[in-house]
Amino acid sequence: PPNSTDPTEWVGSVEILRQYLLNEEPVRYGQCWVFSGVLTTLLRCLGIPARCVTNFESGHDTDCSYSIDCHYDVEGNPVDDLDDSIWNFHVWNEAWFKRNDLPPGYDGWQAVDATPQEASESIMRCGPCPVKAIKQGDVYLPYDCGFLFAEVNGDKIWWKVEKDGSMAVEYIDRNCIGKCLSTKAVGSDDREDLTSTYKHPDGSLEEEEVITKVAHFGSRKEWSIKSVNRDVQVEIGHETAIMGNEINIPLQLTNTSSNSSRTISLSAHIKCAAYTGRTDNKQPLIKSITNVLELSCNESDTLTISILPEEYIKKIRAGSTLRLFLQLSVQETKQVYATQETFLVKKGSGVMVTCSSTTVKQYEDFDVTCSYTNTTSTKLTRSYFYLEGPGIRRSKKLYCGTVQPNSTIERTLTLSAYRVGERVLFVKFCNSKVPNAIEKVKIIVEEAEPTEVI
């Protein structure tokens, strides 16, 4: 919309807070990573220790079952309108403070979500919730512990939906939700892994005890869900998918039975998915395949799904991914296996940044040259560079106009820095058709010489 900024274009909190201070109106627009960054800044300004936390394969439980429920019809097609969702990632905050409203032992890091996904007591909010309570499965503690537990440790359950609407549990995966919980390490750009603070190791006795405890509080506790030993295993390969190239997804199927062959019916659907995991009718179908494989005892076979550029390049949207829905059924044992995998289609950054000097004096001007190479066959209109960095004077926009296909555009501007030490300047090329075209450059800022006072 006019007079708004795409959430992917922000690279820091400063400009957002400046706009709000000057205009005293809502700043449009943000998504979870934007809200989390702003909340981190505000909490730290108040003296409250805070950090952003990113959860990959983040569950979104909509019915307080504390599980992530997926549904397929009898033909293997996903029933999107019944599903919970799994976000490629979700970002919230942790803040460190005491919890005098809870029994002893729950002080410390508290999860607070600046982008609440479900109403809590009729209000859109989420947290604060002790991270310790999430790990222990204390889903009855305030605030919103059950929802946060499902985000990081919910079971993913597949349900088969019959034509009459009845459902039955077909498969359960206990290890796919909540991956690589991350924050920025103190004093470096390294990733600090927080997974062990939110959950016990997958498959451990401690995790099993927590899952059993939580099941007593869920809205689907009347269902008896048991793990099944499966004699057909599937591994989905992950190759780097580059926009404009053919994408190959290898599926390796193995019959682990030592005394019987297996006949496997396979159904695969590939759709565009938003980062929130949603694949409704607005997200186009890319490809569907069905196949039948015969595997002898202990035999493996690989089936490769190939997606040509012309099959996806006009359907995939900025910020979206490819999601594979896979269902297998074994004729001899009636076993069913269902899973989903997400594939990010990468684009080259195309952005280059150079500074007139990588060591500058405090408050002194220096030049920054930004360039972008458009390697697509599409004309990019209303483009601009956006520059921002902690300790750098004022964020800047450099308008580029139209960038023609297979051409390079270059702009130079003058900046200055007011904070001493190593600074990072982020430069982003902004265009709705080119997400995540960003580069950074490090600058050493030396203390200014003291001026003589007469």
Side-chain angles (χ1 to χ4, degrees):
N3 302 318
S4 66
T5 300
D6 188 289
T8 62
E9 294 181 11
W10 302 112
V11 295
S13 303
V14 173
E15 185 60 26
I16 297 171
L17 295 172
R18 179 182 286 115
Q19 284 190 28
Y20 182 74
L21 180 64
L22 292 176
N23 301 324
E24 296 184 355
E25 293 180 352
V27 180
R28 298 180 173 90
Y29 287 96
Q31 286 180 287
C32 63
W33 62 91
V34 180
F35 296 125
S36 176
V38 172
L39 182 58
T40 295
T41 300
L42 294 175
L43 289 173
R44 288 176 177 177
C45 286
L46 295 172
I48 300 173
R51 59 189 182 185
C52 300
V53 176
T54 302
N55 179 38
F56 295 92
E57 295 299 304
S58 186
H60 181 174
D61 173 29
T62 58
D63 63 355
C64 298
S65 64
Y66 309 136
S67 60
I68 308 304
D69 301 298
C70 303
H71 305 79
Y72 289 82
D73 63 22
V74 292
E75 296 176 350
N77 299 308
V79 184
D80 299 318
D81 58 332
L82 296 179
D83 284 355
D84 291 332
S85 60
I86 302 173
W87 294 35
N88 295 348
F89 66 92
H90 184 50
V91 186
W92 59 78
N93 295 82
E94 286 180 1
W96 182 280
F97 51 84
K98 292 181 67 66
R99 290 299 300 269
N100 293 327
D101 58 324
L102 296 179
Y106 291 102
D107 298 339
W109 287 118
Q110 311 288 319
V112 182
D113 196 338
T115 318
Q117 299 159 299
E118 296 289 331
S120 173
E121 298 180 2
S122 303
I123 299 174
M124 292 303 293
R125 59 187 176 185
C126 187
C129 173
V131 173
K132 180 180 179 180
I134 299 170
K135 182 174 183 176
Q136 295 179 168
D138 298 332
V139 295
Y140 43 83
L141 288 179
Y143 294 93
D144 310 302
C145 185
F147 184 83
L148 287 157
F149 175 88
E151 283 191 288
V152 301
N153 207 15
D155 288 343
K156 185 176 181 181
I157 302 174
W158 279 267
W159 303 76
K160 183 179 181 181
V161 183
E162 302 292 343
K163 292 183 178 179
D164 63 1
S166 62
M167 298 189 300
V169 174
E170 287 285 347
Y171 182 67
I172 178 172
D173 187 340
R174 288 188 166 163
N175 301 324
C176 68
I177 302 297
K179 298 293 185 181
C180 300
L181 280 103
S182 307
T183 192
K184 178 186 173 298
V186 176
S188 76
D189 290 334
D190 294 339
R191 182 184 76 88
E192 180 179 340
D193 194 287
L194 300 178
T195 307
S196 63
T197 67
Y198 278 85
K199 56 198 291 190
H200 295 286
D202 289 336
S204 66
L205 177 60
E206 294 87 352
E207 184 202 37
E208 187 66 30
E209 291 173 347
V210 168
I211 295 293
T212 301
K213 178 172 79 171
V214 170
H216 291 297
F217 298 94
S219 61
R220 300 193 184 193
K221 57 180 177 290
E222 69 275 10
W223 292 92
S224 176
I225 303 171
K226 299 180 180 179
S227 298
V228 178
N229 292 324
R230 302 190 178 276
D231 51 17
V232 173
Q233 304 293 334
V234 60
E235 292 186 11
I236 302 175
H238 285 269
E239 69 168 26
T240 301
I242 304 297
M243 179 67 78
N245 293 351
E246 181 178 346
I247 299 172
N248 294 303
I249 305 173
L251 310 176
Q252 184 182 58
L253 289 85
T254 302
N255 176 12
T256 60
S257 173
S258 58
N259 53 23
S260 302
S261 61
R262 293 290 182 256
T263 304
I264 305 164
S265 297
L266 177 148
S267 172
H269 306 272
I270 299 167
K271 300 182 72 174
C272 281
Y275 90 97
T276 58
R278 287 296 182 187
T279 56
D280 55 27
N281 292 331
K282 296 180 181 179
Q283 302 290 340
L285 178 68
I286 302 294
K287 193 165 191 173
S288 291
I289 67 166
T290 56
N291 209 330
V292 178
L293 294 87
E294 298 278 351
L295 293 180
S296 302
C297 309
N298 299 317
E299 181 186 4
S300 294
D301 194 8
T302 299
L303 171 68
T304 299
I305 302 175
S306 296
I307 312 171
L308 300 175
E310 55 267 27
E311 292 179 302
Y312 72 87
I313 203 164
K314 291 185 178 180
K315 297 179 180 178
I316 194 166
R317 302 176 181 182
S320 63
T321 59
L322 297 181
R323 176 154 289 196
L324 167 67
F325 298 84
L326 179 65
Q327 185 185 58
L328 308 175
S329 58
V330 182
Q331 179 178 309
E332 290 79 7
T333 62
K334 309 302 180 185
Q335 291 182 350
V336 174
Y337 179 97
T339 190
Q340 302 173 13
E341 289 287 340
T342 299
F343 299 87
L344 176 65
V345 182
K346 295 184 177 180
K347 299 179 181 179
S349 166
V351 178
M352 293 188 64
V353 186
T354 58
C355 293
S356 56
S357 176
T358 55
T359 301
V360 301
K361 289 289 186 181
Q362 187 182 15
Y363 306 119
E364 289 187 359
D365 291 344
F366 61 94
D367 291 333
V368 177
T369 300
C370 318
S371 67
Y372 177 77
T373 301
N374 179 13
T375 59
T376 72
S377 58
T378 304
K379 182 168 61 175
L380 304 177
T381 59
R382 291 179 291 183
S383 305
Y384 61 91
F385 289 105
Y386 180 77
L387 298 87
E388 184 175 325
I392 307 293
R393 282 192 180 277
R394 192 69 189 270
S395 56
K396 296 282 187 178
K397 282 186 179 182
L398 288 175
Y399 289 93
C400 309
T402 299
V403 186
Q404 298 294 335
N406 301 309
S407 67
T408 299
I409 194 164
E410 185 176 282
R411 292 288 186 272
T412 299
L413 83 162
T414 301
L415 296 174
S416 64
Y418 59 89
R419 286 187 183 173
V420 174
E422 184 179 85
R423 303 287 106 197
V424 179
L425 175 66
F426 293 90
V427 178
K428 186 161 191 175
F429 177 79
C430 298
N431 185 281
S432 60
K433 298 179 181 178
V434 186
N436 302 320
I438 190 169
E439 193 56 77
K440 64 181 180 180
V441 60
K442 292 185 178 180
I443 303 166
I444 304 298
V445 182
E446 298 179 341
E447 189 173 0
E449 297 292 335
T451 57
E452 183 178 352
V453 179
I454 300 176

